[in-house]
Amino acid sequence: MQMAPQMGYDRAITVFSPDGRLFQVEYAREAVKRGTTAVGVKAVDGVVLLVDKRITSKLLEAGSIEKIFQIDDHMGAASSGLVADARALIDRARVESQINKVQYDEPIGVEVLAKKICDFKQTYTQYGGVRPFGTALLIAGVEDTAARLFETDPSGALLEYKATGIGAGRAEVMEVFEEKYTDDIKLTDAILLGLEALHNTTEDKFDASTIEVGVVELETRQFKKLSSEEVAGYVNVILEAHSGEEETGTEEEAESESEEMTGEETGEE
């Protein structure tokens, strides 16, 4: 029996395939694609992170699932993929942030921290006996007079976005952002846009109890998570908007059917 082309090249992280691929890194990316959807949106007055926690059982306490983490006063992160791997990276990010505070007496830059985390992730793709981190992070915060939003990859790659998503629903999320994102968006509208993007990815019902939202305002320069009541208020706006669209669509269909029936009756006469 002929072996598949990748057989033998995915045994170790340090081995390239003949076409220049590292299969273990690609498998780590697949772990991210199977994770819950997380999105980040940058606004003129801050940045927001949102995650759909995907509650799989009614017996599960939703509060025990944490997908958005505070790194420093001015910065937070959202994860998708293996949660345990994400926690390890978040702990390292917090230590790096505190080291910078002690050494330089100032908060660490968002880009500086994102690069440090990506450098750390990259080392786990280059040495034998280890595996890549099966998680991607969205790192968001404020720096100087602007909000910053970075996406990290299991390979250690780093990209800055105005709005982006990671996880299972990334394609649907990016479609919404490409169509509706504007450079002058306000933080409140950014939250609603992120929720609308998440709404498009939900397979089951869209519920405030499964949504986690973290924001960093440019004015206060403080990261905070929205309370369940605040999240519910935003979610209700999205649900009402979509229920209105469904009602409008139903009315249009009814009118169309009525016109067709009228046309058929006239033709018979």
Side-chain angles (χ1 to χ4, degrees):
M1 190 175 88
Q2 189 175 4
M3 295 177 70
Q6 74 267 26
M7 291 298 289
Y9 296 106
D10 61 355
R11 302 298 187 206
I13 188 62
T14 57
V15 180
F16 279 97
S17 70
D19 55 350
R21 297 162 66 184
L22 288 171
F23 285 107
Q24 289 295 327
V25 175
E26 294 186 17
Y27 298 159
R29 289 195 181 111
E30 287 301 317
V32 174
K33 290 179 183 178
R34 294 170 182 269
T36 55
T37 307
V39 303
V41 185
K42 192 161 63 173
V44 293
D45 53 347
V47 61
V48 58
L49 297 170
L50 307 96
V51 177
D52 179 14
K53 295 191 285 189
R54 193 194 292 168
I55 307 300
T56 56
S57 170
K58 66 179 182 180
L59 301 177
L60 194 61
E61 289 284 359
S64 67
I65 301 176
E66 190 177 15
K67 294 295 182 72
I68 294 180
F69 308 87
Q70 182 171 1
I71 296 175
D72 203 343
D73 291 339
H74 65 298
M75 194 183 339
S79 70
S80 180
L82 302 182
V83 182
D85 285 11
R87 282 204 310 270
L89 290 174
I90 293 298
D91 287 343
R92 185 175 182 88
R94 288 169 174 165
V95 171
E96 291 285 357
S97 179
Q98 294 306 307
I99 289 173
N100 189 89
K101 184 74 172 178
V102 171
Q103 284 185 336
Y104 303 109
D105 195 27
E106 64 180 13
I108 192 170
V110 182
E111 183 174 2
V112 173
L113 180 66
K115 285 182 176 178
K116 283 180 179 290
I117 294 302
C118 283
D119 289 345
F120 181 63
K121 293 172 81 169
Q122 191 277 333
T123 61
Y124 278 72
T125 70
Q126 201 166 4
Y127 299 101
V130 297
R131 65 163 176 81
F133 287 92
T135 186
L137 296 177
L138 293 179
I139 300 175
V142 294
E143 185 176 321
D144 297 328
T145 59
R148 309 292 297 273
L149 175 64
F150 292 92
E151 178 185 330
T152 74
D153 182 76
S155 68
L158 177 69
L159 292 169
E160 183 172 9
Y161 282 92
K162 296 176 181 177
T164 188
I166 53 177
R170 188 179 196 278
E172 295 88 344
V173 164
M174 295 306 287
E175 188 177 336
V176 172
F177 289 159
E178 291 281 357
E179 179 184 350
K180 298 187 177 181
Y181 180 82
T182 58
D183 289 336
D184 60 348
I185 192 170
K186 296 289 187 181
L187 192 58
T188 300
D189 295 328
I191 295 173
L192 292 173
L193 179 61
L195 287 172
E196 183 174 351
L198 286 179
H199 183 274
N200 283 10
T201 68
T202 51
E203 299 171 358
D204 302 314
K205 66 177 183 177
F206 189 63
D207 194 335
S209 64
T210 68
I211 304 296
E212 196 171 5
V213 182
V215 298
V216 188
E217 296 181 15
L218 196 58
E219 183 179 356
T220 62
R221 307 179 73 82
Q222 293 289 316
F223 174 89
K224 68 172 183 178
K225 287 186 185 180
L226 298 189
S227 66
S228 56
E229 292 78 13
E230 290 173 306
V231 173
Y234 286 110
V235 169
N236 288 337
V237 172
I238 299 298
L239 292 176
E240 288 172 6
H242 280 273
S243 63
E245 290 175 3
E246 290 175 1
E247 289 175 3
T248 303
T250 304
E251 290 174 1
E252 289 176 353
E253 287 178 7
E255 289 177 3
S256 177
E257 290 176 1
S258 176
E259 289 174 0
E260 288 177 2
M261 292 177 62
T262 303
E264 289 173 0
E265 290 173 359
T266 305
E268 290 174 359
E269 292 174 358

